[in-house]
Amino acid sequence: MPDRSLHLPVAAQPSVESLTALAQLGEDHGYEYAWLPETWGRDAVTVLTDIARETDEIGLGPSIVNVYSRSPALLGQTATTLQEVADGRLRMGIAPSGPAVVEGWHGVDFDRPLRRTREYLEIMRTVMSGETLNYDGDIFSLAGFRLRCDPPEESVPIDAAGMGPKSVELAGRFADGWHATVFTPEGLEERLDDLRRGMELGDRDPDDVRVTLSMTGCALEDGDRARELARQHLAFYVGAMGTYYRESLSRQGYEDEAHEIAAAWASGDQEAALAAIPDDLLDALGAAGTPERAREELRKFEAIEGVDDVAIGFPRGASREEIESTIEAFAPDEA
């Protein structure tokens, strides 16, 4: 069976301490990793530092930090430092993110995302090796510096996130793992073929490339409330977060639904956007309902060959109590 991890809430939380407390709850219940998204709220590095200081065993890392707002050398320094603070429990997750965030929030052109991701992977590894950085790429030309502290005692794996065929192939060819999100089981299996093709191109051992699937989970005694929260979450991502999620759903056989959701959201009719999500799509993309139903829905993701870790995320509108209830319902020590 795959590991179970937490994908900490993407929605704003009351404090850094509240995020750390969720990671501690995950550690208490046997979750493998606490993955932290970085969007336009608290930065991932500061929060991960606090989590590292207040936990002992759970793995941790960003899922994801983008490859535009920090230089590749700085991300290598950051990973080196976080690995020291975390006593070897860090795993980095990087990706382009999308133009909505990169251009609208960071003010950087969303240019050549795949090439940029590859160069980040290569540069970060060189930085963390402690060797002198001499790099001549298509985007970055760097020379003459090396870490002035010791490199990490435990090497830091670097995963890449991606949704399209080429980005997933890149993860298989160059990264230490792939982070997947908003996938049906069938859609994920199709992308796993791209990942394997990348492994072959890179002459990689499949055992060296870890697959982490982040999916939305909500397990409440009020099953209707859980499903409504999950439906709201999906409508927001398809309707408000650019074209990536819509295009990914279209590739997975839900083109009509994806465009209907996006059109309704764009016109300001959020109720229509929610109504455009049929139950079969909601079930195909997550695990929501009563604890019994949600756990049963989770099993379809855990049964996919090639998935090493299923990370439980939470709907944007979930309360603190609802998040904690979901963590407890899906806990590995209860499986």
Side-chain angles (χ1 to χ4, degrees):
M1 289 286 288
D3 295 324
R4 286 187 195 173
S5 292
L6 295 182
H7 196 275
L8 294 170
V10 68
Q13 297 300 302
S15 64
V16 171
E17 290 77 11
S18 67
L19 286 163
T20 299
L22 290 175
Q24 290 172 316
L25 181 62
E27 181 171 73
D28 291 342
H29 282 291
Y31 285 89
E32 188 74 12
Y33 278 88
W35 296 108
L36 181 71
E38 183 177 75
T39 54
W40 49 94
R42 294 181 179 88
D43 78 277
V45 179
T46 305
V47 179
L48 286 169
T49 300
D50 196 64
I51 292 173
R53 288 296 195 190
E54 299 298 330
T55 57
D56 297 310
E57 296 179 356
I58 193 168
L60 54 92
S63 181
I64 50 87
V65 289
N66 74 74
V67 295
Y68 290 90
S69 59
R70 299 176 180 88
S71 75
L74 178 56
L75 273 187
Q77 293 173 253
T78 299
T80 296
T81 309
L82 278 174
Q83 183 71 315
E84 180 180 351
V85 175
D87 294 325
R89 292 179 284 139
L90 180 69
R91 193 174 184 103
M92 289 293 289
I94 68 170
S97 184
V101 174
V102 170
E103 296 181 351
W105 180 245
H106 295 290
V108 180
D109 289 340
F110 191 75
D111 181 53
R112 304 178 70 184
L114 296 183
R115 181 68 204 184
R116 196 175 185 94
T117 301
R118 174 176 172 176
E119 294 196 10
Y120 265 68
L121 287 163
E122 293 169 345
I123 293 167
M124 289 174 66
R125 286 191 178 118
T126 301
V127 169
M128 290 188 289
S129 73
E131 299 174 1
T132 300
L133 179 61
N134 292 302
Y135 188 85
D136 185 18
D138 293 346
I139 298 174
F140 295 97
S141 293
L142 309 168
F145 288 86
R146 58 178 294 176
L147 276 177
R148 56 194 316 180
C149 60
D150 292 334
E153 291 185 11
E154 297 272 348
S155 62
V156 181
I158 310 174
D159 300 341
M163 302 176 75
K166 290 298 182 183
S167 62
V168 177
E169 180 184 296
L170 181 146
R173 188 174 181 182
F174 298 107
D176 298 305
W178 171 45
H179 284 218
T181 189
V182 191
F183 279 101
T184 68
E186 295 78 12
L188 184 67
E189 287 173 348
E190 186 174 351
R191 290 288 77 80
L192 284 168
D193 289 338
D194 299 316
L195 187 75
R196 295 182 187 104
R197 182 172 60 253
M199 293 181 199
E200 292 173 1
L201 289 170
D203 195 24
R204 309 290 302 285
D205 184 338
D207 290 339
D208 294 335
V209 181
R210 181 178 174 86
V211 175
T212 300
L213 170 65
S214 295
M215 44 74 65
T216 302
C218 195
L220 307 174
E221 292 301 328
D222 185 347
D224 291 339
R225 164 70 175 169
R227 292 178 68 76
E228 184 67 12
L229 285 168
R231 186 172 266 109
Q232 292 170 0
H233 185 83
L234 177 58
F236 172 80
Y237 270 85
V238 176
M241 290 298 292
T243 62
Y244 274 20
Y245 298 99
R246 183 165 73 245
E247 291 171 354
S248 179
L249 278 185
S250 297
R251 284 191 295 265
Q252 296 177 72
Y254 290 94
E255 183 175 4
D256 292 344
E257 291 86 347
H259 285 284
E260 186 177 354
I261 296 164
W265 192 279
S267 68
D269 192 346
Q270 295 187 12
E271 289 300 318
L274 295 176
I277 302 173
D279 283 340
D280 67 324
L281 177 57
L282 191 67
D283 289 336
L285 290 171
T290 63
E292 295 77 12
R293 177 175 182 171
R295 284 192 289 262
E296 183 62 32
E297 294 292 340
L298 177 63
R299 293 189 183 100
K300 66 180 178 285
F301 297 104
E302 294 183 324
I304 300 170
E305 185 176 354
V307 173
D308 300 296
D309 185 359
V310 177
I312 312 297
F314 311 96
R316 295 172 66 251
S319 69
R320 176 70 179 211
E321 182 180 8
E322 289 165 337
I323 292 170
E324 291 177 353
S325 295
T326 298
I327 291 173
E328 291 166 359
F330 287 124
D333 60 12
E334 298 294 329

